[in-house]
Each structure stands twice: as structure tokens, then as C-alpha cells.
Amino acid sequence: MAAVRVSSRSGLPSLLLYLGIGVVMGQDGIFDVKFDNAELTQVIGYAALVVILAEGGLGTKWKEIRPALPAAAMLSLVGVAVSVGVTAAGAHYLVGLDWRQALIIGAVVSSTDAAAVFSVLRKVPLPARVTGVLEAESGFNDAPVVILVVAFSTRGPVDSWYVLVGEIALELAIGAAVGIAVGWLGSFGLRHVALPASGLYPIAVMAIAVSAYAAGALVHGSGFLAVYLAAMILGNAKLPHWPATRGFADGLGWLAQIGMFVLLGLLVTPHDLIDDFWPAVVVGLVLTVVARPLEVFISLLPFRLPWQEKALMSWAGLRGAVPIILATIPMVSGIEGSTRVFNIVFVLVVVYTLIQGPTLPWLAKALKIAEDPSETADLGIESAPLERLRGHLLSVAIPGGSKMHGVEVGELRLPAGAAVTLVVRDGKSFVPAPSTVLRRGDELLVVTTDPVRDAAEERLRAVGEGGKLAGWLGTGAKDGESPAASHPKQDRRHEVAHALKAMTRLGRTGGPKAHR
């Protein structure tokens, strides 16, 4: 785990560190391990990608990604076409590769890597719109890129462009349908069937996500898109024991990345990279300075996004594990010059990750689109179903930036059928009174009946985001509803009393002079 700490402090994606470990262990390295099995690397790489995409989908918030879907779809389709064409032309005319090799490189490096992008931006949160577009793009563009690389790596003539477009559209449609179906069925089952042990929930979630990939591949759809969409639906379904599931998936994602990157480092032969260093720099320059900006600005023409956001998206097109794994496809197919293609892609990814990775946070701040991390704090809510009692036990952790700090238990205004039964503070637990003031770092146990579970969780999140006046200030109630209407079972006089009490307290503690 030392590599993880070094990566976190340096701002570099962990990709480089684990690739370096593989290179040091492999040929020309300290241990001189001989490994040249491209087929095994591809199989293990695909398996690791399924886990990484599943982990990424589980961590994607639907409310952030939903508005970004049209833009991400354009980047994943039109953008990929622009990137492949421009990069392939540069590789052919500037480096001298034949058209097949140039098209393979153009397709391989057109896939972005969300893990690499957000590992360097974890300390500089982006606006939800930018985050949503980049996350969705990285989840969607793997599918068309894989289809193109496989088509270009097939022996014999390459299919006509309209045939490729039809194949891409069909596989994406099938993969999307399978992913949505598996994700919905899986989330429905996990929400309505209590498993015998809490530790089974993380395993079940990952098994469902992997099943989406298998089902998509079996019906000749895009398995990568299927697993990402299924995981995204599961991640937004408010499943039981969610924090434990998220931690388990995060750990599996790290394990998959570590094993995959070390294996890719073993596959490369360092002394073979010397001759391909400058060609890789030239192709990377075309990709980074010409192809990616054109891809972003052309694809996003129909959308009214500020130029600052487009500029950041252009520079945030980091290439990580996916291009290196895809570069093994022509090697397995026995395409002439495939080893050189792999070497160029390997060098390109390493060099431009070194350049782009550390400068991304600086660019986000320079363009003035980085957000305050404290404004994005969210409550950690874990639900455990009480099947026999027809209820739920919610475990709520109050983070440092939450506006629930300073709110009395009675001011939470939970729906009838929900109550705060225990507060854990500084390692000690106690039963709260309605006047107990909640503090950052507290953990609450909230018991709810089955019918009001969702309303109670919604109310808790609303107070976490908007404070004690959430609902009266437009937070937590549905559009067009008053707070009382959103919780019909609650006594309106009780709510009005709490609101007047909060307003009076604001006036006593330094509210606007006009109200003194």
C-alpha cells in the first residue's frame, strides 16, 4: 500500500507506480522475469476492466450523470470518430505507420480512463456537470473503441465504415438493454430479499454486475456497457449495507488495477521502447493537442457549455489501463507490426500521464471551476433491513461539512414512523432527547417502518444539505409541494413551531438587522 500513499501525495495516478513495479520485475529489470504471453494478459486485463467498470458504476451518482448523458454519448460516438481519424492521420503521415497500424493506434488511444482522471482530481472537486460528462464518457466509450480495435485487428480487409457504424449501434443497444435489465432486477431482489448475513450483500452486488457483462457478451452486445449501466443502477438503488458494499467494491477495484498494471509492466521489454520513444511522443502530441480538443469542441457544439469546462475536458482525456490492454488485441491476432503498436501505446500512456496528471488540479484552479470540497459533503447512510419486523435500521454518519451540525433531533422533522433511537459521540452512546443537538462526527441509529424508509432517508439528506430549515427553503420537498405536503402524516403545527423557533434563534444570534 506504500504505492497508494505515494500516488496520493504526488498527485500521479497509481497506474505509473504499478507499471513501474512490473517493469522492474520483468525483462531488463532486477528480477529479469520472462513474460510474453499477450493472450493471457488480454484475458486478465478484460476481467480486471469488468471489475474496474463495475466499481466506477457503483460510485456514479445518477443525479450528477443524468444531465450529462447526451454530452457523454456525443463524446463516446462522434468524439471517438474524430479522435480516431485525426490520430490515425498523424500516425500515418508523421510517423510513417501503414494505415492499418495507424488506425489501430488511433482507436486504441481514443478510450479515456476515469480511474486515472479522478485519482489526480480527488483533492480538487469539479462541478457536477463536468464530473458527470467525464465519468459517463469513460464508461461509454470503451464499447465502440473495442469494436473498432477488433475490426482493425482482423486479418483481411477491414469492413466498410457503415458496417462498423451499424455493428457499434447494435452492440451498444443490446448492451444497454441488458445492463438496465440486470441492474433493475438485481436491485429489486436485493431490496426485497433479506440475505442471511450482511457480508453477502457486497458479494451479491459485484456478482450481479459481473453477470451483466456475461449476459451482454452472450447475446453479442457490449458487455462493458452492460456492466457499467448495471452497476450504476445498483449504486443508486439505496441498497442495504451500502457503505460496506462500496468499500468492498473499492478494494476489489484497487486489487484489479494493481494486478493488471503489474502484468502489463511485465509484458513490456524496456530496451525495445527506445526506438519507439519519439514516435510515441509525436502521436501523443497529435492526440493531446489536436485530436482531443477537436473531439471535445466538435462533439459538444450542440451544448451550451462554458469554454473553460471544454478546455478542462480536453486536457482531462487521460489514457490509462484500457489503451494498453486494447493494444494486446492486434498482438494476439498476429497483425504485422503489432509489437511496435504496443510499445508506442505504452510509451504514450506513460509520458502523457506524467505530463497531464499533475497539471490537471492546477488547470482546474486556473480556470476557476474547482469547487470547495466542504460543499459536496454527503451523509453516509447505511440501511439494514429488519425483515421480520417490517422495518429498517438506518446508520447515519454526519461528515465534517454537513449542515446537520447544530440541528436538534426534534428539528429533523422525520416522518411519522421514523425516530432517532441512539447517538454515538466520541465513542460513547446515549438515547437522545428531542432537544439533543447533533454534532459533526456523530453517528445516529434511526429506526423506520418499511413504508416511510425512503421518506426518512430523503429527509435526512435534505437536512444534511440545507440545515434545519430544509424544506421551508426549498430543499427536501418535491417541486411544487410545501414541506408539510411532502410528509402528509406530519402535524403542520408541529413543523410551523419548529420553523418559528429556528427563525427566532437566528434573530437572537446575529440575524439581519432589519429583523432585530
Side-chain angles (χ1 to χ4, degrees), residues 147-226:
I147 295 170
L148 289 175
V149 175
V150 171
F152 296 149
S153 301
T154 302
R155 291 179 175 275
V158 178
D159 291 333
S160 301
W161 67 268
Y162 53 86
V163 176
L164 291 177
V165 170
E167 289 180 0
I168 290 173
L170 180 60
E171 290 200 19
L172 289 178
I174 295 173
V178 170
I180 292 171
V182 172
W184 186 86
L185 289 173
S187 63
F188 180 84
L190 289 176
R191 281 172 61 88
H192 290 83
V193 177
L195 298 179
S198 61
L200 293 176
Y201 283 90
I203 298 173
V205 168
M206 291 303 295
I208 291 169
V210 173
S211 298
Y213 174 84
L218 280 175
V219 294
H220 303 288
S222 171
F224 290 122
L225 182 59

Side-chain angles (χ1 to χ4, degrees), residues 249-266:
D250 191 47
L252 276 185
W254 273 106
L255 187 63
Q257 289 188 62
I258 292 170
M260 178 175 56
F261 294 150
V262 170
L263 195 63
L264 291 171
L266 282 172

Side-chain angles (χ1 to χ4, degrees), residues 394-396 398 404 412 420 422-423 438 442-446:
L394 305 181
S395 174
V396 183
I398 304 178
M404 193 178 285
L412 292 175
V420 179
L422 198 70
V423 175
L438 302 176
D442 285 355
E443 292 186 29
L444 319 179
L445 288 183
V446 181

